[in-house]
Amino acid sequence: MASSGSGYDYSSSTFSPDGRIFQVEYASKAVENAGTALGLKCRDGVVLCVEKPLLNKMLLTNSSRRIHSVDKNSGVAITGFVSDGRQIVNRAREEASNYEETYGSKVPPEVLAQRIAAYVHYFTLHGSLRPFGTSALIASYDLESKEHDLHMVEPSGVSYSYFGCAAGKGRQPAKTEMEKLAINKPDSADNIDVREGVKQLARIIHLLHEEGKDKPFELEMSWLCEESGWEHKGVPRDYIKEAVEWAKNDIEEAEDDDSDEDEEMDE
């Protein structure tokens, strides 16, 4: 079977002979070319982090945000086509509001993720529509079960719950780094807290960033945790700055240790 579209990539409603939907794959490729977005479920909350490239020196910081509050207890981080992501954020806000009006309680994390996933999937079913070129990371807190969750919705409309997830150009190496963290221990008390999670996500983003090759970027971070009263809020700027300094020092120390080991082996 040919790996190219061969005419089967004109519509998202058409399968190729080998069972692929090329428009969905192209949408996923758009996400892979965008800045890295990370999510981490810690023992006392969820941390979201997005690498926002500064495409222009005249661009004001905090413009064109990648992390948005959906409800008091829910937040969404997006990467890919930002304009597509805004539509997903608006839909998520509508779903959260409609659920509360209908049932009189806040929307549970699983329900919110499923409804956003169903909305994204709908855009892969009709030839007159195109898939969203965006992945969405959803942090939510369930007021009834007192549980916090992290979900990710992909351009295909697939949604999963994660201990740690990544999207964007640094997805694979970021996942490798997150797998080294204490986030899925049998006893949740052994997992890292959100303050450590902020530092680790800052380290991963800076570890993947290549100074000479990649564009300058701004680090957007938010959390939903005990410290924030289980409300989705931005991580305080002072603590982000402190986490970035720690991350850079940690990376430099690791590089120095590696160079020392190489010298010892040469001797």
Side-chain angles (χ1 to χ4, degrees), residues 71 91-115 142 144:
D71 198 358
R91 179 68 179 202
R93 287 170 176 163
E94 290 176 8
E95 293 290 356
S97 177
N98 290 342
Y99 187 95
E100 187 170 7
E101 288 180 6
T102 303
Y103 299 104
S105 61
K106 296 293 184 181
V107 59
E110 185 69 28
V111 174
L112 179 62
Q114 288 176 353
R115 291 191 176 188
D142 193 329
E144 293 185 6

Side-chain angles (χ1 to χ4, degrees), residues 156-229:
S156 62
V158 172
S159 171
Y160 293 107
S161 181
Y162 292 90
F163 288 106
C165 60
K169 62 183 178 182
R171 177 175 183 171
Q172 280 305 128
K175 285 170 63 178
T176 301
E177 289 296 322
M178 283 194 286
E179 287 171 359
K180 301 175 184 177
L181 303 177
I183 54 176
N184 58 347
K185 299 290 185 182
D187 185 356
S188 61
D190 296 331
N191 293 330
I192 62 175
D193 61 13
V194 289
R195 284 193 165 264
E196 179 65 19
V198 168
K199 292 163 65 175
Q200 292 297 337
L201 292 187
R203 182 186 67 82
I204 292 172
I205 291 291
H206 280 85
L207 184 65
L208 302 180
H209 184 77
E210 298 181 22
E211 290 293 341
K213 184 178 178 183
D214 296 333
K215 290 183 174 67
F217 70 94
E218 178 187 355
L219 200 62
E220 275 190 48
M221 304 188 85
S222 70
W223 58 18
L224 176 74
C225 57
E226 290 180 6
E227 189 170 333
S228 68

Side-chain angles (χ1 to χ4, degrees), residues 61-112:
T61 56
N62 297 327
S63 62
S64 186
R65 296 190 66 82
R66 305 295 200 274
I67 300 179
H68 305 265
S69 289
V70 167
D71 198 358
K72 191 175 182 180
N73 309 107
S74 303
V76 174
I78 56 173
T79 187
F81 286 167
V82 180
S83 51
D84 283 10
R86 284 200 302 267
Q87 298 305 313
I88 294 177
V89 170
N90 289 338
R91 179 68 179 202
R93 287 170 176 163
E94 290 176 8
E95 293 290 356
S97 177
N98 290 342
Y99 187 95
E100 187 170 7
E101 288 180 6
T102 303
Y103 299 104
S105 61
K106 296 293 184 181
V107 59
E110 185 69 28
V111 174
L112 179 62

Side-chain angles (χ1 to χ4, degrees), residues 31 37 76-80 88 132-137 152-155 167-168 171:
V31 175
V76 174
I78 56 173
T79 187
I88 294 177
F132 287 102
T134 297
S135 284
L137 284 65
M152 182 166 71
V153 178
E154 299 180 12
R171 177 175 183 171

Side-chain angles (χ1 to χ4, degrees), residues 120-145:
V120 171
H121 179 238
Y122 180 81
F123 281 74
T124 70
L125 300 176
H126 298 274
S128 59
L129 304 175
R130 69 163 175 81
F132 287 102
T134 297
S135 284
L137 284 65
I138 308 166
S140 296
Y141 179 70
D142 193 329
L143 293 171
E144 293 185 6
S145 67

